[in-house]
Amino acid sequence: MALDVELAEIRDFLGSHPPFEALSPDELTAITPRLSIVYRRRGTEVLAAGERVGELLVVRSGAVESRDEDGALLERGGAGTCVGGGALAAEVPQPVGVVAIEDSLLLAMPAAVFHELLAQHPEVSAHFSQRARALAAAVSVQRTHRAEGGGRAVLRTRARDLVTRTPVSVPATATIREAAEVMSRERISSVLVTTDDRLVGILTDRDLRTRVVAAGASPEAPVTSVMTPDPVTGHPDALALEVLLELLRRNIHHLPLVVHGRAVGMITATDLLQLEHANPVHLVGEVAKAADPAAVAEVARRLDELVSSLVRQGTTAHDAGRVVTSVGDAVEQRLLGLAEAELGPPPVPYAWITLGSRARFEQALGPDQDHALVVHDDHRPEHDAWFAALAERVTDGLEQAGYPRCRGEKMATNPSWRLPVTAWREHLLRWMTTPTPQAVMESSVFFDLRHQYGDGSLTAVLRDLQRETAPRSPLFLAHLAAHACTRQPPLGFFRGLVVDRSGEHRDTLDVKRGGLLIVAEIGRLHGLAAGSPATGTLARLEDAAADGRISAPLAADLRDAWEFLAHLRLVHQAERVRAGEPPDNHVPPASLSSFEQRHLKAAFGVIRDAQSAVAQRYPVRTLS
């Protein structure tokens, strides 16, 4: 009797998962006794790459994942996931390895039973054929990522990829003549100045012209007297696009690449601008040369085409967000420069800060504006007209360039978001030390901030205050936790996808509000609690895991979920652009393959688990 009950449970389990839901109850009853049960401990191999598959495995409980030969995640699934079906159907070796990521029970269906099902049920055969094609496509995409070099891969070019020689340096004890001789001999336009291998300065051709020849300095004077001390530096892993933006922002032509104080390379504006024409580096260069806001907007309209190119090249969502954000930064900075040129110099120093997804380097197409102005405390009431005019010109220019105004008025045009630094400090302290749910919800975007233009020291005051105060503000963190748990992923009780049933977005789900924003809120919470200096979601999760705020496996799962959802949105937006429709975040699940739908459910499930972990760690229930 007990055996009959167990067989009935297995029959009902199979009948609730694709593709076995296509079988009749009698057919399910007939095949159930022909199955066996296999157990795999967490971390053990379920199916090896290259293995000849002798049976179909169906996850009864637990979870498995498949990765390519370089460890890139291809698929992850829980109960109902079929393992080896595509290879078994095509009678080819298993293309990728599958590993249990939890203690797992699997139902094993002999090959003879499996092939009987394929012969009798075309829909079952079609299911496994589609899975095989989807897996092959995923493997192909990962191989394309690895195979990309120069040329079309320029969108993903890192600063280190542009370094063609080891950096040339002279000691700080050298004379100007000695430094110039090194530059001449090595045929370079700049030389680094070091003390004990640590970078202390840079001497360029321009310095020799303006500070030595024109100023009549003695060639025997120390190089330290004419070098630029503590020069602006970059990191080798920065995108080439970000490096160009930094050069344009600072009006410099050389950027040493530094790791732990030691120079590992040097790149110049010429290195960057020699990259192929049809890429974001060139786009940023054109924005920087635009003569007026209309010209800026004209260049910015090519961003849609850029995103389509990113999708075609298989760029990761993380890298795509950085590229799109960097173009947006260039637009914003050029508009600020044009506004200053029109209005004249500012009456007091100020900082323009960018907020939200732009600050996190996670922008996609169609984002609204989020920014604020931090004004020096020497500000007087009569100065506000200048800053109000600046804010209006830049906000209007951004709107022309395709960035809609924020419906919540979180923009520098709002006097409440255009304040002296002391007033901002008071706001931040109040939000963090005596928070209210409404205030935290309205101000949460301000906790993703990044300096954009002007006096960086003003931004640093607020950024440092956040980093120092947030970890010591448990009530504030509890409010952030409650906010992160308020919005639920569009996943039903039985882990089905929940779509809008009416209205403009009927039969779609919002991957931004139902997924990406929740991950960003969780990352913000844990990052602030850990005192992380990062603003990006993935970097915050990494810092939080290192600090013990979140388990390393859950942080890894959230990173994978974020990357998948962001990539899904990127592809969806590119398709809408190609169809002549405005980009949005509303993806119709019916347009996705079963492979993608399974990933989507898994991603939303990870987010739901992360929300549960947040609710357990922070006293969200005590706030009601």
Side-chain angles (χ1 to χ4, degrees), residues 428 432 446-449 461-471 476 528 531 540:
L428 280 173
M432 289 187 286
F446 201 87
F447 290 90
D448 300 338
L449 70 85
V461 169
L462 304 182
R463 188 174 57 242
D464 293 346
L465 181 65
Q466 285 185 3
R467 185 180 179 188
E468 294 165 4
T469 308
F476 167 69
L528 289 172
R540 280 172 161 171

Side-chain angles (χ1 to χ4, degrees), residues 344-355:
V348 294
Y350 74 95
W352 183 282
I353 56 177
T354 189
L355 309 170

Side-chain angles (χ1 to χ4, degrees), residues 7-136:
L7 289 175
E9 288 179 349
I10 293 174
R11 177 200 63 200
D12 294 342
F13 170 79
L14 283 178
S16 65
H17 291 91
F20 308 107
E21 59 192 4
L23 306 184
S24 69
D26 289 343
E27 289 172 314
L28 288 168
T29 300
I31 66 171
T32 299
R34 304 173 70 181
L35 308 181
S36 58
I37 295 178
V38 177
Y39 173 70
R40 292 290 184 270
R41 289 187 61 82
R42 177 178 180 174
T44 59
E45 193 170 60
V46 175
L47 199 58
E51 180 180 341
R52 282 284 175 180
V53 182
E55 57 191 5
L56 173 73
L57 298 174
V58 184
V59 178
R60 178 72 171 89
S61 64
V64 298
E65 69 177 20
S66 56
R67 294 181 179 270
D68 70 4
E69 61 267 32
D70 284 343
L73 180 67
L74 298 172
E75 185 177 14
R76 176 177 291 148
T81 299
C82 293
V83 178
L88 189 57
E91 298 184 333
V92 297
Q94 172 67 12
V96 296
V98 182
V99 174
I101 56 174
E102 298 176 5
D103 290 349
S104 301
L105 288 176
L106 303 104
L107 304 175
M109 179 183 294
V113 178
F114 178 73
H115 285 296
E116 286 175 14
L117 288 179
L118 297 187
Q120 295 168 8
H121 294 276
E123 62 271 42
V124 175
S125 179
H127 171 86
F128 286 107
S129 295
Q130 183 183 40
R131 279 185 54 77
R133 289 194 300 271
L135 183 59

